[in-house]
Amino acid sequence: MSHSGTTLVLIMAIAVLAPLLAYGVSRRLPVPLAIFEILLGILVGPAVLDWARPSELVDGLSELGLTMLIFLAGYEIEFGKVRGDTLRRALWAWAATLVLGLTAGILLGGGWTEGVFIGVALTSTALGTVLPVLRDAGDLHGRFGTVVMAFGAVGEFGPIIAMALLLSGRGAGESTVLLAVFAALTAGAVLWALRPRPPWFSRVIARTLHSSGQFAVRFVFLLLALMLGASEALGLDVLLGAFAAGLITRLVLAGAAPAYGSQILEKVEAVGFGFLVPVFFVVTGIEFDLGSLLDGGRSLLLLPVFLLLFLVVRGGPIWFLAPRDLGRKDRGGLVLYGSTALPLVVAITTIGVDDGTMTAGEAAALVGAGMFSVLLFPLFALKARAEAGKEALPADRGGGSEAW
C-alpha cells in the first residue's frame, strides 16, 4: 500500500475510534470529539509514532474538510433569529476584538507584518466546532443557542473577511473591490434563492431523496462548488465561498423543500461529519509541529499567553456587549463558547508559515492554544450553563425573533 493509502487508512481508523473514546469519556467528562481526533493525529504523526505523514491526497481531503466545516456553520445560521439588537451587539463585539487582536498581535509579533496574522487569528470563533456541542447539550435552538449562533457567526465570518483584506498580499483597495464584487454575486445568489422554485423542483427532491439519484444532495454540492469557484476566481479565500454557500443553501431548501430540509441536511452532514471534517481534525494533529513547541523557549511560553488572549481579546468584548437578558452564568457561557477557536487559526497560521511571515514555533503555539480552547472552554461553558439550571430565558420580543 502506498504511503498516502496507509495514512488515509489510519485517519479513517481514528475517525471511527474517536467517537468511541468520546462516548466512553462522556459519562464523566463531555470532551469535544475534535480533541480526540487531533490528539490521535498527533500520536500517529511524525511527532510521535511517525506512522502517518501528510501527502497531496491527504492535504486535499483536509482542505475539503475545513471547507465543509465552514459550509455547515454557515448553513446553521437562522436569519429569522440572528438579527436585530443581538446581531448589532455581535458586530460591535467583533470590531472591538479586531482592534484588540491587532494591537496584541503587533506587540507580540514585533510589527505589523507578523502581528496581523496573530491579531486576525485571535478574533475567530470556532462556530463549526461549537454548534455540535450546543446541539448535543440541547441548547442550540433556544434563546441561548441563538445568541451564541449570532456571536459565533460574526466570529467566523469576520476573520474570513479580514483574511481577504489583510492577509491576501494585495493592496487594500484591490481587495475591497474584489470583496465588493463577491458580495454582489452573493447578494444576487440570495435573491435567486428567495425566489419560488418551480413545482417540478420539489417533486424531483421528494422522488430522489431516498434513491440513488439524490438530487437535493447533489444540488447542495453544486451550490457549494459554484461559490467556491467564485471566490477562487476572484482570488479570495475559498472559506468565504463556503460560508456564503451555507447561507444560500439554507434559503434555497427552506423555500423549495421545507418538509425535507432536515433530511437533506442529515445527508450532507453525514458526508461532512462522517468523512471530511474528521479528516481535517486528524490531519491537523498529524501536521502539528510538536517538536517546535516542546523545544521550550518562547514558543512554549506563548501557548498559555495565546490561550489567555483568546479569552481577553475575543471574550472581553463579548462579555460587555452580550444581550442584557442573559444572566451572569449564561453570559460566562457565551464568552467561553465565543472564545473557542481552532479551524481558522489553523488556516491563518498555515498561510503565515507558507509566506515565511510566522515561525513554525509561533504557529504551533497558536494552534496549540486553539486546541486547548476547544478542550477547555466548551467544558467550562457547559458547567456554567448547568449551574444556571438551563432555565429558559425571557421570550424574544416580537413573536420569536428580534425586531430590527
Side-chain angles (χ1 to χ4, degrees):
M1 185 180 294
S2 67
H3 186 76
S4 294
T6 301
T7 298
L8 188 57
V9 169
L10 287 170
I11 289 173
M12 297 317 302
I14 290 173
V16 172
L17 178 60
L20 298 177
L21 294 176
Y23 175 77
V25 173
S26 65
R27 300 176 183 181
R28 295 187 177 183
L29 194 67
V31 179
L33 179 61
I35 289 299
F36 291 101
E37 294 166 344
I38 293 171
L39 291 179
L40 290 172
I42 293 174
L43 178 65
V44 302
V48 184
L49 297 176
D50 199 18
W51 292 350
R53 286 182 171 274
S55 66
E56 186 174 349
L57 171 63
V58 170
D59 287 343
L61 290 174
S62 176
E63 291 177 7
L64 284 175
L66 176 58
T67 299
M68 182 58 67
L69 187 66
I70 301 301
F71 169 82
L72 291 171
Y75 185 94
E76 288 285 1
I77 306 302
E78 299 181 41
F79 284 101
K81 296 180 179 179
V82 181
R83 61 179 188 177
D85 180 65
T86 299
L87 181 57
R88 283 192 291 271
R89 288 174 178 272
L91 289 169
W92 279 112
W94 188 81
T97 294
L98 180 62
V99 174
L100 292 174
L102 291 176
T103 302
I106 291 170
L107 292 175
L108 286 173
W112 171 262
T113 304
E114 183 178 354
V116 69
F117 283 88
I118 297 174
V120 173
L122 292 174
T123 69
S124 67
T125 295
L127 183 61
T129 305
V130 165
L131 289 179
V133 178
L134 286 170
R135 185 185 295 115
D136 294 343
D139 287 334
L140 181 58
H141 297 294
R143 168 62 173 155
F144 178 76
T146 298
V147 175
V148 174
M149 192 179 298
F151 279 78
V154 176
E156 191 96 68
F157 192 66
I160 295 175
I161 297 294
M163 289 169 66
L165 287 172
L166 302 176
L167 307 182
S168 63
R170 294 186 297 264
E174 182 183 357
S175 297
T176 302
V177 170
L178 292 175
L179 275 175
V181 172
F182 182 83
L185 291 174
T186 302
V190 168
L191 291 175
W192 169 82
L194 292 173
R195 294 180 60 187
R197 304 269 75 77
W200 64 263
F201 192 86
S202 299
R203 289 198 298 269
V204 173
I205 288 179
R207 291 179 182 177
T208 63
L209 190 59
H210 301 290
S211 72
S212 59
Q214 296 293 327
F215 171 77
V217 177
R218 298 183 186 197
F219 184 77
V220 168
F221 283 108
L222 172 62
L223 288 178
L224 175 58
L226 287 172
M227 295 309 296
L228 294 179
S231 57
E232 180 74 21
L234 292 171
L236 302 172
D237 197 288
V238 293
L239 299 183
L240 184 62
F243 196 86
L247 300 175
I248 294 166
T249 299
R250 170 177 279 276
L251 295 175
V252 171
L253 296 182
Y260 301 104
S262 61
Q263 297 180 55
I264 297 169
L265 176 60
E266 287 176 0
K267 292 174 179 288
V268 176
E269 284 185 331
V271 177
F273 291 124
F275 175 45
L276 293 173
V277 173
V279 172
F280 165 71
F281 283 118
V282 176
V283 172
T284 296
I286 291 174
E287 296 183 341
F288 183 66
D289 195 346
L290 187 62
S292 297
L293 203 59
L294 296 182
D295 284 343
R298 185 172 184 267
S299 298
L300 189 59
L301 292 175
L302 280 176
L303 193 151
V305 172
F306 286 140
L307 185 62
L308 179 62
L309 284 175
F310 281 135
L311 271 178
V312 174
V313 170
R314 184 73 183 112
I318 291 176
W319 173 270
F320 289 107
L321 289 167
R324 297 174 182 175
D325 61 344
L326 290 187
R328 188 177 183 86
K329 294 292 185 181
D330 288 322
R331 188 180 294 244
L334 174 63
V335 166
L336 289 164
Y337 280 129
S339 302
T340 302
L342 182 60
L344 290 180
V345 173
V346 174
I348 291 168
T349 54
T350 299
I351 295 173
V353 172
D354 290 344
D355 289 348
T357 304
M358 296 185 69
T359 67
E362 290 167 334
L366 256 177
V367 174
M371 291 181 188
F372 276 105
S373 77
V374 170
L375 172 62
L376 299 176
F377 294 169
L379 292 180
F380 293 146
L382 289 171
K383 183 178 179 181
R385 288 284 292 157
E387 292 176 355
K390 292 189 177 181
E391 297 179 355
L393 292 167
D396 297 339
R397 301 179 181 87
S401 63
E402 296 177 330
W404 284 95

